[in-house]
Amino acid sequence: MAPPDGPGRQDGGLTTGEVARRLGVAPTTVRSWDRRYGLGPRLRTGGTHRRWTAADLARLERMCELTTTGLPPSEAARLAREQASPDAGRAPEQSAAKGPGARTGVRPGGLRQEGRGLARAALRLDPGALDELLDTVIADHGLVTAWTEVIMPTLQAVGRKWGRTGEKYVEVEHFLSWHVVGALRRSAPPAPSVRPGATALLACVPGENHELPLEVLAAALAERGVPIRMFGAALPVEALVEAVHRTGPVAVGLWAQSRASASRPLARHVAAMEWGVRGARTRPVVLTLGPGWAGQTVPGLPHPSGLAEAVTAVRSVVGVTE
């Protein structure tokens, strides 16, 4: 079988469902483009069975790019069929007139095929296609790999590359993030039973509202049977201290996206908290999580560099192993 990012399979091309996932559209849309605009595959087996080659996929990718500029589908299909013309290699914004409110057809470079499909579905604000693609990539690769290699790079592409066009795509970022959270919660198993002395507490530091990476960590830990208590964004200092006192976690993960929100005094204070009977006091292991702690980590406190490392560190502290 060809690699996931390859243009097609050596055994005769991709199925319609596989093509749809790569493009970020519904299979019915792919079939409709075939029937209405002649963008079907050149290779068919068993009469009506479609097998899509690399050239077929390239035409459909062109169709997707052009339709996001605001072109009518019929005109986009005509241009997609003319890929061999001198204009075929031009960017969509150069070869197609942009209507009122049209988005520039930007292909997020450097993304895997699944990421490009996610980006297109998010750009179209298509909830059904986005949910299906997210569920598929998590099921196919596992949560950690799906986040690290597909979902996070797609979110970064939305915020970075697309932003350079002058269109900030804020609604696309919010839309994609919301659906990622939904996919995480759908994929996670029921929360493991809390065990005294073997629980992790996760929270964003006060003033930190970027909780999506912490949601990913919580889902990955739940997937691996680690009991957690998740407190989400911007937990006030007093509430964090009270939560630690009440739950007695063996590990506390403090997420900071920005350097402005990371607080060394807070991390030291939580790490120094004690509970239990005299002579057998217990302290939590505090993990400083996120890019906000870079360059200002606290001596003696673990600072995992990424999601996989954070999962490993928390599991080690909690005592959950394979």
Side-chain angles (χ1 to χ4, degrees):
M1 191 170 86
D5 291 336
R9 293 178 175 175
Q10 299 298 322
D11 61 359
L14 299 168
T15 66
T16 298
E18 290 168 330
V19 167
R21 287 193 293 272
R22 292 188 179 210
L23 296 175
V25 301
T28 52
T29 300
V30 176
R31 297 187 185 98
S32 173
W33 288 349
D34 178 5
R35 185 175 64 257
R36 295 183 181 182
Y37 309 121
L39 293 178
R42 292 188 173 90
L43 176 64
R44 295 176 187 267
T45 61
T48 60
H49 295 289
R50 299 166 174 83
R51 304 297 292 186
W52 301 79
T53 65
D56 299 328
L57 183 60
R59 280 198 307 278
L60 293 181
E61 288 180 330
R62 180 71 167 159
M63 177 73 171
C64 288
E65 292 169 359
L66 293 169
T67 54
T68 60
T69 70
L71 275 182
S74 58
E75 178 65 10
R78 182 186 67 78
L79 292 172
R81 290 194 301 269
E82 296 174 358
Q83 282 193 347
S85 70
D87 288 340
R90 296 171 62 187
E93 58 269 26
Q94 295 173 306
S95 60
K98 287 179 276 194
R103 289 297 200 177
T104 304
V106 179
R107 175 181 292 183
L111 293 181
R112 293 170 55 137
Q113 282 284 0
E114 298 109 320
R116 288 196 282 270
L118 286 175
R120 293 186 183 107
L123 181 59
R124 294 195 313 274
L125 304 181
D126 185 336
L130 195 53
D131 282 343
E132 181 178 348
L133 290 164
L134 286 166
D135 290 346
T136 298
V137 76
I138 291 173
D140 286 351
H141 300 293
L143 199 152
V144 171
T145 300
W147 170 257
T148 304
E149 299 186 13
V150 182
I151 299 173
M152 182 174 63
T154 303
L155 285 161
Q156 291 171 339
V158 172
R160 182 183 64 249
K161 186 177 178 72
W162 288 351
R164 291 174 187 163
T165 67
E167 301 173 45
K168 296 303 182 184
Y169 290 86
V170 174
E171 78 284 5
V172 178
E173 292 185 69
H174 281 250
F175 184 76
L176 178 55
S177 296
W178 190 87
H179 281 270
V180 169
V181 171
L184 293 173
R185 294 179 180 178
R186 287 193 301 274
S187 70
S193 299
V194 173
R195 300 193 305 273
T199 301
L201 184 153
L202 304 177
C204 293
V205 296
E208 181 57 73
N209 291 304
H210 293 83
E211 65 178 314
L212 180 55
L214 198 63
E215 290 261 15
V216 179
L217 176 59
L221 291 171
E223 185 180 67
R224 289 156 177 78
V226 178
I228 61 169
R229 286 187 172 97
M230 170 67 163
F231 289 86
L235 187 65
V237 172
E238 298 81 2
L240 173 61
V241 170
E242 182 65 18
V244 172
H245 272 307
R246 289 183 60 187
T247 61
V250 67
V252 175
L254 298 178
W255 176 269
Q257 181 76 18
S258 68
R259 292 175 65 96
S261 62
S263 170
R264 287 181 177 179
L266 175 62
R268 292 194 190 99
H269 178 74
V270 175
M273 293 176 64
E274 294 183 334
W275 52 85
V277 298
R278 188 183 299 274
R281 297 282 187 178
T282 299
R283 292 182 179 181
V285 174
V286 174
L287 298 92
T288 54
L289 306 172
W293 297 99
Q296 52 181 349
T297 54
V298 182
L301 303 187
H303 178 60
S305 59
L307 176 60
E309 293 78 10
V311 170
T312 299
V314 174
R315 293 180 68 203
S316 175
V317 173
V318 174
V320 174
T321 58
E322 295 289 356

